[in-house]
Every structure is written in structure tokens, then in C-alpha cells.
Amino acid sequence: MITHETSEQSRFLWGGAGQRKLQAPKERYPIMVPARTACFAPGCRKWLARALFAFLLVAGFAAAQETVLEVIPLRHRTAAELIPIIQPLLARDGSVSGFQGQLIVRTTPANLAEIKRILASIDTMPRQLLITVRQNADVDRSRSAAEVSGSVGGEHGRVTVPGARDSRGGNVVLREGDDSVRLQVIEGSGRQSDRNTQSVRVMEGREAFVRVGASVPIRERQVQRSVVGGRVVEQVVETTQFRDAATGFYVLPRVSGDRVTLDISPQRETFSKQPHGGVNVRSMVTTVSGRLGEWMEIGGIGVDASGQQSVLLGRATTASHSSGRVLVKVEEVR
């Protein structure tokens, strides 16, 4: 604003970068003139154009950063599956949450359009899968033994070496009078195989758990002590408890094209003979990847054991080898 002040002595023009002293007029009243009406110089018009351009640019940027809120219904997938995929794609200060089969997205209009395009390609019907787990167990045992037994004596005494009660194997007996010598040799081997196969049908991206087994009664004896009439009385009580042994697996499949990735944890339990009522447990946790329709080996185990026993005139050796393999196959069910 340019202000003309009048007095009897002088008049000053205010505005711009400084002030100039003018001749004092005869009037005694101020004259108010808008400053912009006096800006006709080329430099002033350039400044106004630049200021207008900057204003429009800031206004456009602010409009582009405005956020919108939209509720997107889901057709086939769950919000828990899609939120981890959408979250990294959000614009700055954007948010996404799920509620009853819907996604609630707050972001910019351009980013929302991009998210909708991505959802259209991933919110599709999940594929049906048939997962089969095979757990194989093989046990090889061998035993060999040789011993000499019998009874030999004379005028001054008799020596007797008892033998084993096992009548298996080859036996050679030499006798002469009251003397007898027996030679026994045992050679034996055996093989035991166990095949366990389980299958489960599940949709891709969903978890599944399969477990089958048996419960057997285990009898136990317990000694209970009580005080009766100042005396400690012991009483043997037999109890029956059930012990479980189960075989199964947990699995989470993810499919991309003709390849599948599995988070899988198979477990196998069997009853052991020694100790009585014990349970042998084999389990593993792993992640494997392969093609649909092919068997994949996800693990194995091998155990070797040997023993040796010596008697007075004999020796026995035992050896055993047990091995196991776990295979998995994933097929698409159409």
C-alpha cells in the first residue's frame, strides 16, 4: 500500500526499497492508493507470475497428497493372507487393516488404484492340494555265537562247563563214557520293515495337521506307606495308565506355478520293548521345495548298534542297523 501523507512542511512516499521527499502540497488530508495498482514495471509483473506459479504448484502437490478411505471386499483370500502383501506397497502415511473378509485401506487415490490392480491378480480361488507323507523304517539284526560246554572228569575230580539253554544253531556232541563235550554255533539275521503313509487334503496357504495313533495300557506297581498304630505299613498297589504313541505331520503349503514350498514337521512314535512302556520318538522340522507330483525326501535317520558278550568257553556278538526315511508328495486336486 502506498500512503501519501500531507503536512505544511513535507510529503513522503512510502513503498519499495526506500523513501523520497516531495514538495509539500497545500492539502491537509491523506491520500491512500493501493500498492498493486502502481506495479506496472516489467520486473514487477515477472515477480507476480512466479509467485502465482509457485502457489499453483504447492496447491497441486497438496491435492495429490490427499488420502481416501475405502473398504474393499475380498472374494477368496483372507485379510490375514493379504495384509502382509499389501502393507509394503502403501504410500507414505497409508494404512491397511482387515475386518470380516474385507480390507480397509487408507492411502492416496493413485496408490489405491495400484493396490486394487494387485488385489485383482492375487485374490483368486486357492488351489486344492493333496499332501502325502510316507515314513519308512527298516531294522536289520544279526547275531552270532559260539560256545563249548560239557563235562570231563577222572580219578581226581570232574570239571563241568554249563552251556546255554538255547537249542538253536548247529550242535556237535562228543561222548566217551561219562565224558561229553558239546560245541554250539549260532548264526542268525533278520529284517523288519515298517511303512506308514498318511494323506491330507488342504487349500494352498492354509495349515493342516494329521495325527493317528494308539493307546496301550501300562501296568505299574507302586508301594504306598502308611502309619497304622504307630507302625509303618507298606502296601503294594497296582495301577493302570494309558500311554499314547502317534504318527502324523503338520504342513503349510505355498504354490507358485508348478512348484510348491512346504513348511512341514513330521513325527513318528512307536512303543519300545525296553524299557517296558517306553515310547520311541522321531521328529523333524524343515522347509522343502519341489515340483508338484514328485516325491521329495525331507530327511532320514540311521542308527547302528553292536554288542559282545564273553562266557567261560564262548563268545556272542550282536549287531543291528535301523534306518528311516521321510518322503512327501504334493498333488493338485482338480
Side-chain angles (χ1 to χ4, degrees):
M1 183 73 67
I2 300 176
T3 304
H4 295 275
E5 295 181 0
T6 62
S7 64
E8 294 181 355
Q9 297 179 353
S10 63
R11 184 178 67 177
F12 292 88
L13 176 63
W14 298 88
Q19 57 185 7
R20 292 182 298 166
K21 187 175 180 180
L22 304 177
Q23 294 294 328
K26 299 299 182 179
E27 299 86 21
R28 294 181 176 273
Y29 55 89
I31 301 174
M32 307 296 291
V33 180
R36 294 186 184 274
T37 59
C39 185
F40 298 103
C44 185
R45 288 198 297 270
K46 287 184 179 180
W47 181 87
L48 287 175
R50 291 175 182 175
L52 180 60
F53 177 78
F55 174 79
L56 294 176
L57 183 64
V58 172
F61 180 79
Q65 293 300 311
E66 291 181 357
T67 60
V68 294
L69 179 67
E70 184 162 341
V71 178
I72 304 174
L74 301 177
R75 296 179 300 170
H76 304 290
R77 306 286 181 165
T78 64
E81 291 179 85
L82 297 180
I83 287 178
I85 301 174
I86 298 301
Q87 211 156 23
L89 306 177
L90 289 173
R92 185 178 180 181
D93 299 330
S95 64
V96 59
S97 60
F99 180 72
Q100 294 183 351
Q102 297 173 327
L103 284 182
I104 304 173
V105 182
R106 181 188 295 275
T107 185
T108 62
N111 186 232
L112 180 62
E114 180 69 14
I115 289 176
K116 286 184 176 180
R117 186 185 66 81
I118 295 173
L119 284 176
S121 63
I122 61 178
D123 186 18
T124 57
M125 179 69 72
R127 300 158 77 173
Q128 295 280 342
L129 305 174
L130 179 65
I131 302 176
T132 304
V133 174
R134 177 184 297 170
Q135 302 189 52
N136 302 337
D138 299 314
V139 179
D140 296 320
R141 294 188 178 91
S142 62
R143 180 175 183 267
S144 62
E147 68 170 7
V148 177
S149 61
S151 177
V152 178
E155 297 179 357
H156 303 287
R158 178 169 291 275
V159 177
T160 300
V161 178
R165 296 181 179 180
D166 194 346
S167 60
R168 294 175 301 173
N171 294 274
V172 178
V173 180
L174 302 177
R175 294 181 180 275
E176 184 177 347
D178 295 333
D179 299 334
S180 65
V181 176
R182 176 173 176 260
L183 175 64
Q184 183 182 22
V185 178
I186 299 175
E187 292 284 346
S189 62
R191 181 179 179 85
Q192 181 181 357
S193 298
D194 186 12
R195 302 288 184 268
N196 186 284
T197 302
Q198 294 173 312
S199 298
V200 63
R201 189 168 177 169
V202 63
M203 291 190 297
E204 62 168 313
R206 307 295 172 85
E207 300 177 354
F209 179 70
V210 174
R211 187 174 186 268
V212 295
S215 296
V216 297
I218 305 297
R219 290 186 177 181
E220 296 181 350
R221 289 187 176 184
Q222 297 179 349
V223 178
Q224 296 182 352
R225 293 181 175 86
S226 59
V227 180
V228 179
R231 298 177 57 187
V232 178
V233 179
E234 294 184 351
Q235 183 180 8
V236 178
V237 179
E238 290 189 355
T239 60
T240 302
Q241 297 181 354
F242 285 87
R243 192 152 299 172
D244 299 333
T247 298
F249 65 92
Y250 154 86
V251 66
L252 171 62
R254 294 183 293 271
V255 179
S256 177
D258 63 343
R259 297 193 64 84
V260 59
T261 300
L262 294 175
D263 295 333
I264 188 168
S265 174
Q267 177 173 309
R268 178 174 175 79
E269 299 176 350
T270 57
F271 294 105
S272 63
K273 297 181 180 179
Q274 296 295 333
H276 179 64
V279 177
N280 300 319
V281 180
R282 295 179 179 177
S283 63
M284 65 181 64
V285 179
T286 186
T287 300
V288 295
S289 178
R291 295 187 180 277
L292 291 172
E294 68 178 13
W295 285 101
M296 296 175 285
E297 183 171 355
I298 63 176
I301 186 173
V303 178
D304 292 306
S306 62
Q308 183 172 321
Q309 182 181 7
S310 298
V311 294
L312 182 59
L313 294 176
R315 175 174 295 182
T317 60
T318 59
S320 65
H321 172 76
S322 60
S323 61
R325 299 174 64 201
V326 181
L327 307 172
V328 62
K329 180 173 65 172
V330 182
E331 301 171 286
E332 184 176 1
V333 181
R334 300 185 183 277

